[in-house]
Amino acid sequence: TIKTSTKTSPLLFPILFNLIIGMSNQIASIDPNVDPYGYLGIIPNTDGSITRSQIPHRPFFTTIPDYDSSIFIKDLVINPIKDTWARIIIPREVLNSENKLPLVVYFHGGGFVMAITIDTPILQKFCATLAVEIPAIIVSVDYRYAPQNRLPAAYDDCVESLYWIKNTHNELLKKYADFSKCFLLGTSSGGNIAYHVGLRVAGVSEYLKPLEIKGLILYHSLFGGNERTKSELRLARDKMLPFNVSDIMWELGLPIGSDRNHPYCNPMVEIQSNENLFDQVKIQGWKILIIDCDGDPLIDRQIEFSKMLKAKGVQVVDCFSEGGFHGCEYFDGVKLKELTLVVKEFLRGN
């Protein structure tokens, strides 16, 4: 059992910072095959606890930062007790318009454990690009991390964020966001969150109004299982998501005592055992966009997942590309533009 320590190390945040923005030739500055804990910004202690990177100070912008004049942002607290918050990202051009834009609620990645916030530069660039190019209003949600808060804590926080949006008194969202066209988007572990949050709220749509979810966008979703897939074996020593890193993430993220066939990790288990799992998804008319590339160790799981959803009668749009790597659009501007076009087309069709 891995326990959590409240100790923090000022030396760890630069490691994580280098990991997040210091990509060179598409290889992280820390090789996860050599130092998986350093890659994750975590130090395992001899007593079974961990010391993790200190999450950087949250700036809570109320006006546009100097580094991007194409957007307007505002930070708001969701739950002060849980220390959860959200960043609203609005294309600056819409501020002089009467038109409302689709609302995209975004759940970031990090394997449930990495000390990343929605203010991380690559996440900010990702969301800003989506907001401007689609265009859409983005609400980027920050949730609690494992192992201090193991799953389903992240699911709970992100469900709470939807009710927070529904009940918001924030004039920016009320004026510029079209609550009748809401989509849940997640990257990596955020894709996992978007899927599980979607299942939770599909049957309570009446309680979320005026917020109306139209679909899910699952981008390089972090799923797993006890048995390794062919793509996981082929990319066992991948530079972004090798065996040892995903193993640590799931060990720290899942409820204590769970294996990798827990439904939080392996959605196929619940899909195969519950014939009615997607009844409400189909009643709501949701579509699910699944995005991945064959350079991602998780590609085989995405393909199997897509086929199973289609077999269950769910409306699925899948986009599987060649090359790339897990989360490559974070680091490649061309690929990010391509991803934006795919998401834009999906939103237009719903």
Side-chain angles (χ1 to χ4, degrees):
T1 300
I2 294 183
K3 298 176 291 182
T4 303
S5 170
T6 57
K7 296 182 293 181
T8 57
S9 169
L11 298 177
L12 285 177
F13 179 64
I15 292 176
L16 181 64
F17 186 80
N18 287 336
L19 165 65
I20 294 170
I21 66 172
M23 299 295 289
S24 175
N25 297 322
Q26 298 183 348
I27 298 176
S29 57
I30 298 176
D31 187 339
N33 295 286
V34 175
D35 183 10
Y37 285 97
Y39 180 82
L40 292 170
I42 290 171
I43 294 176
N45 300 317
T46 56
D47 64 356
S49 67
I50 65 166
T51 300
R52 69 180 309 139
S53 301
Q54 186 173 3
I55 296 178
H57 175 69
R58 295 174 178 176
F60 281 87
F61 289 113
T62 55
T63 58
I64 181 67
D66 293 337
Y67 58 78
D68 194 336
S69 60
S70 66
I71 56 171
F72 179 88
I73 68 175
K74 185 174 180 62
D75 298 338
L76 296 168
V77 174
I78 295 176
N79 188 321
I81 296 174
K82 295 179 179 179
D83 195 25
T84 56
W85 61 296
R87 171 163 292 176
I88 302 171
I89 305 167
I90 301 176
R92 184 165 283 277
E93 290 186 356
V94 80
L95 297 177
N96 298 318
S97 170
E98 297 299 320
N99 296 328
K100 290 192 174 186
L101 298 178
L103 175 62
V104 176
V105 183
Y106 179 63
F107 309 127
H108 64 73
F112 305 109
V113 302
M114 292 181 72
I116 299 172
T117 77
I118 57 181
D119 188 51
T120 302
I122 59 167
L123 298 185
Q124 178 65 19
K125 178 182 177 182
F126 181 85
C127 289
T129 301
L130 290 175
V132 172
E133 297 294 333
I134 290 176
I137 307 300
I138 309 292
V139 176
S140 185
V141 177
D142 202 39
Y143 49 86
R144 292 173 294 169
Y145 304 108
Q148 295 95 326
N149 300 282
R150 292 174 177 267
L151 293 174
Y155 305 153
D156 296 340
D157 294 347
C158 292
V159 168
E160 183 179 27
S161 75
L162 298 181
Y163 284 94
W164 173 81
I165 293 170
K166 160 204 159 54
N167 294 318
T168 187
H169 297 292
N170 180 263
E171 291 300 323
L172 290 171
L173 283 180
K174 292 168 70 174
K175 183 174 181 179
Y176 298 114
D178 185 347
F179 279 27
S180 70
K181 293 182 180 179
C182 176
F183 299 82
L184 307 185
L185 164 62
T187 302
S188 191
S189 55
N192 178 300
I193 292 170
Y195 170 71
H196 286 285
V197 168
L199 288 182
R200 283 196 185 190
V201 302
V204 294
S205 59
E206 290 298 316
Y207 296 99
L208 281 174
K209 287 186 175 180
L211 197 65
E212 296 184 30
I213 297 171
K214 297 297 184 181
L216 311 179
I217 304 167
L218 311 181
Y219 161 51
H220 294 200
S221 297
L222 183 66
F223 295 131
N226 287 341
E227 298 296 323
R228 308 288 191 184
T229 65
K230 289 182 179 179
S231 61
E232 288 170 340
L233 293 171
R234 172 171 57 88
L235 296 166
R237 294 185 61 80
D238 182 61
K239 293 296 185 179
M240 287 298 291
L241 192 65
F243 275 178
N244 52 3
V245 167
S246 61
D247 287 348
I248 292 170
M249 287 174 171
W250 288 119
E251 182 181 359
L252 296 176
L254 286 170
I256 293 173
S258 302
D259 65 19
R260 297 270 284 274
N261 275 344
H262 191 289
Y264 294 162
C265 177
N266 188 350
M268 304 301 290
V269 172
E270 189 174 20
I271 293 172
Q272 292 168 345
S273 64
N274 185 351
E275 286 294 324
N276 302 316
L277 185 62
F278 299 111
D279 284 358
Q280 290 300 321
V281 169
K282 291 185 286 187
I283 289 172
Q284 299 300 323
W286 291 4
K287 290 183 180 179
I288 299 180
L289 172 60
I290 301 174
I291 303 169
D292 209 346
C293 61
D294 66 8
D296 181 5
L298 302 177
I299 182 64
D300 285 355
R301 294 196 183 278
Q302 313 301 329
I303 293 172
E304 180 187 28
F305 179 61
S306 175
K307 289 180 179 178
M308 180 62 77
L309 292 184
K310 291 175 182 177
K312 295 293 184 179
V314 179
Q315 298 181 73
V316 175
V317 177
D318 48 39
C319 180
F320 301 131
S321 59
E322 296 181 355
F325 54 91
H326 186 74
C328 57
E329 285 81 1
Y330 275 157
F331 311 103
D332 186 325
V334 173
K335 289 187 177 295
L336 177 54
K337 290 282 188 178
E338 293 172 352
L339 173 69
T340 302
L341 291 175
V342 172
V343 174
K344 181 177 184 177
E345 184 66 24
F346 180 73
L347 265 62
R348 281 184 174 178
N350 289 277

